[in-house]
Amino acid sequence: MFDEVKRNLYLETDESLTLDKKTNLLFEQQTENWQLAKNGYSSLKLVGKKIFEFDDFIIEAHYNPGRIVSSSAKVDEKSIKERPCFLCINNLPEDQKAVKIDDKYILLVNPFPIFDKHFTIPHVQHIPQTIKENFKSLLAISEKLNKDFSIFYNGPKCGASAPDHLHFQAGNFGFMRIDNEFYSILNKYGKLINDSNEYTTTAVTNYLRNFISIESNEIKPLTNEFMRIYDILSEGLNDEPMLNIICTYNNFWKVIIFPRKKHRPTYFFEEGENKILISPAAVDMGGVLIFPREEDFNKIDKETVIDIYSQVTFSNDEMSNLIKKLKV
Ligand SMILES: [Zn+2]
């Protein structure tokens, strides 16, 4: 299954340690010994922040110049084919180390961070970014990483900068506003769709970025419920429906699915002073908007924040269609 690894890739640790402990050790090792990661994490101190207060939640805007490559990544087929894949094991930088999660996935420190601790979790083979066959892996990794980390998935047309190489990402829990706002949002905007002994599905509407959540402590019913939602979102499409997923495990799984209607808002394609370079992905859905250019960050206001979300996420009408189908 593994591509042949040409060098000593893995961090030497006590094999009996849990994944969250190994992850923290990898982080320490890489931010001490790998200059690119060291620079990346020390530059986080310079990230500019704006806070936008809404009635029941907060949106943060971050000016993070280190994210320029990812946010402006050309993800069309031709550009992807012409670049060496940065997630393939044998293309990783010499100083990069990994933790082996299982036979399919490894965990790496992301040297261009958004989070205080930011990880990339690529598959060991160069296979396309899809969630349908890999949702169970997302749950399994989330359980192993446990409560201190949120793990997330960006669809190939919803913020993934490597749509050709299957990967998840993880960051320290609490960084994304939604990590801690989840239940207050559910209480205020949530509508119960299904509540069985095995799982609870809730639809959140009239909210800045509408979503569906599933909570469960059992893999099988949780996966089945996800597939039901996935299939409804897929109706009439040839490709994967556009979505972002944020998942956390703390005795049970909490899966947040953001259905998307657009990859990038109109601002992204404007020229000159109307342009705002933003390519919303799971972190943005989680309440932290990332702006890699200072001029964009400076002009961002509450009205633009609302417009960006409303352009790329499901409207209330689209949600009520989805809810109708889910309730049958
Ligand atoms: Zn690859």
Side-chain angles (χ1 to χ4, degrees):
M1 190 108 202
F2 267 82
D3 280 353
E4 192 195 342
V5 184
K6 288 178 188 155
R7 64 177 172 87
N8 187 13
L9 180 67
Y10 298 107
L11 182 76
E12 283 177 30
T13 56
D14 177 351
E15 277 307 308
S16 66
L17 292 175
T18 52
L19 183 62
D20 52 337
K21 295 223 165 62
K22 286 182 188 167
T23 297
N24 282 320
L25 287 174
L26 180 73
F27 184 80
E28 280 170 29
Q29 198 277 352
Q30 293 280 266
T31 48
E32 269 171 36
N33 301 309
W34 181 22
Q35 198 59 43
L36 189 66
K38 200 173 187 171
N39 295 347
Y41 287 88
S42 59
S43 75
L44 279 181
K45 292 186 203 89
L46 307 172
V47 164
K49 291 180 189 171
K50 280 186 187 175
I51 302 281
F52 297 101
E53 287 186 31
F54 290 79
D55 285 347
D56 311 280
F57 58 91
I58 282 169
I59 296 294
E60 290 182 24
H62 287 194
Y63 163 49
N64 185 337
R67 298 296 300 173
I68 189 78
V69 176
S70 180
S71 294
S72 56
K74 288 201 169 83
V75 289
D76 62 286
E77 225 169 292
K78 185 170 179 283
S79 309
I80 290 291
K81 272 192 186 135
E82 285 171 358
R83 60 116 171 87
C85 175
F86 58 90
L87 292 179
C88 277
I89 284 181
N90 288 320
N91 294 338
L92 297 176
E94 199 55 40
D95 292 333
Q96 188 153 35
K97 293 277 177 194
V99 164
K100 188 175 173 176
I101 297 179
D102 54 26
D103 286 346
K104 293 187 200 155
Y105 292 90
I106 60 170
L107 182 140
L108 306 165
V109 169
N110 186 335
F112 305 108
I114 293 173
F115 294 77
D116 305 312
K117 290 182 178 177
H118 193 165
F119 304 92
T120 313
I121 302 171
H123 194 280
V124 292
Q125 289 182 323
H126 187 82
I127 55 173
Q129 180 83 332
T130 54
I131 192 63
K132 195 170 183 179
E133 302 78 12
N134 305 301
F135 183 74
K136 275 189 186 160
S137 298
L138 172 72
L139 299 180
I141 297 168
S142 171
E143 184 179 8
K144 284 185 183 175
L145 276 174
N146 214 335
K147 57 182 172 32
D148 290 342
F149 299 96
S150 283
I151 173 165
F152 52 100
Y153 171 82
N154 291 323
K157 286 180 192 142
C158 294
S161 45
D164 54 336
H165 192 130
L166 176 59
H167 66 287
F168 303 111
Q169 292 181 67
N172 49 297
F173 182 88
F175 180 91
M176 289 184 284
R177 287 281 175 167
I178 205 153
D179 287 338
N180 288 310
E181 288 172 348
F182 181 73
Y183 287 108
S184 59
I185 297 301
L186 249 56
N187 285 337
K188 172 112 191 210
Y189 303 97
K191 193 174 176 184
L192 208 59
I193 302 293
N194 279 311
D195 195 13
S196 71
N197 290 335
E198 296 175 318
Y199 61 91
T200 304
T201 309
T202 312
V204 167
T205 54
N206 293 307
Y207 178 56
L208 190 58
R209 61 284 193 209
N210 293 334
F211 66 78
I212 302 273
S213 70
I214 321 170
E215 297 158 81
S216 177
N217 57 8
E218 287 180 61
I219 284 207
K220 206 167 173 219
L222 172 50
T223 306
N224 289 344
E225 180 65 349
F226 173 75
M227 289 310 156
R228 212 167 67 85
I229 298 166
Y230 181 97
D231 287 342
I232 293 170
L233 290 171
S234 303
E235 283 173 11
L237 303 175
N238 294 320
D239 297 328
E240 175 170 307
M242 293 172 76
L243 48 81
N244 300 107
I245 300 171
I246 298 174
C247 177
T248 317
Y249 183 88
N250 187 358
N251 296 315
F252 61 93
W253 287 276
K254 193 176 83 189
V255 178
I256 312 175
I257 303 153
F258 296 94
R260 295 276 302 268
K261 67 177 168 208
K262 228 194 246 180
H263 179 197
R264 288 162 166 166
T266 48
Y267 302 102
F268 184 92
F269 305 97
E270 297 272 359
E271 304 279 341
E273 62 180 34
N274 290 330
K275 185 178 178 78
I276 298 177
L277 203 152
I278 181 161
S279 190
V283 179
D284 307 79
M285 296 301 117
V288 182
L289 289 168
I290 305 299
F291 298 92
R293 303 196 313 174
E294 194 167 19
E295 61 263 45
D296 302 333
F297 173 75
N298 287 342
K299 70 185 168 205
I300 197 79
D301 55 16
K302 199 169 174 178
E303 208 181 315
T304 321
V305 166
I306 295 170
D307 194 35
I308 288 171
Y309 281 113
S310 69
Q311 285 194 38
V312 301
T313 60
F314 261 31
S315 66
N316 290 334
D317 284 348
E318 286 165 307
M319 284 300 284
S320 53
N321 276 334
L322 174 61
I323 293 167
K324 258 186 238 157
K325 291 175 183 168
L326 275 172
K327 279 193 149 176
V328 174

